[in-house]
Amino acid sequence: MNEIVFLVEDDPDGGYTAVALTESIFTQADDIEVLREMVVDAVHCHFPNEENRPRRILIK
């Protein structure tokens, strides 16, 4: 897998959520900058083997 795409939405309770379109990965944060960090961390946790990890993370 070369890339993974996350859809970002406003959370009704405040902050933002990000959901991967092709994997079972979900994260949330209070602001966009922290959300980006959380997405990268979630991808690293979901793909512990660096060889299998997507090289590109798109946040839309």
Side-chain angles (χ1 to χ4, degrees):
M1 174 183 303
N2 288 330
E3 70 179 21
I4 187 166
V5 178
F6 282 81
L7 178 63
V8 175
E9 296 181 328
D10 291 329
D11 188 328
D13 295 326
Y16 302 91
T17 60
V19 179
L21 299 181
T22 58
E23 299 290 329
S24 294
I25 305 174
F26 170 87
T27 191
Q28 61 188 29
D30 291 331
D31 62 66
I32 292 293
E33 287 186 30
V34 174
L35 184 67
R36 289 179 190 276
E37 295 172 14
M38 298 296 291
V39 165
V40 170
D41 185 55
V43 170
H44 284 223
C45 289
H46 193 79
F47 296 97
N49 184 343
E50 190 174 336
E51 293 176 6
N52 296 335
R53 191 177 302 147
R55 289 176 172 72
R56 187 178 193 184
I57 301 171
L58 299 176
I59 302 172
K60 296 185 175 212

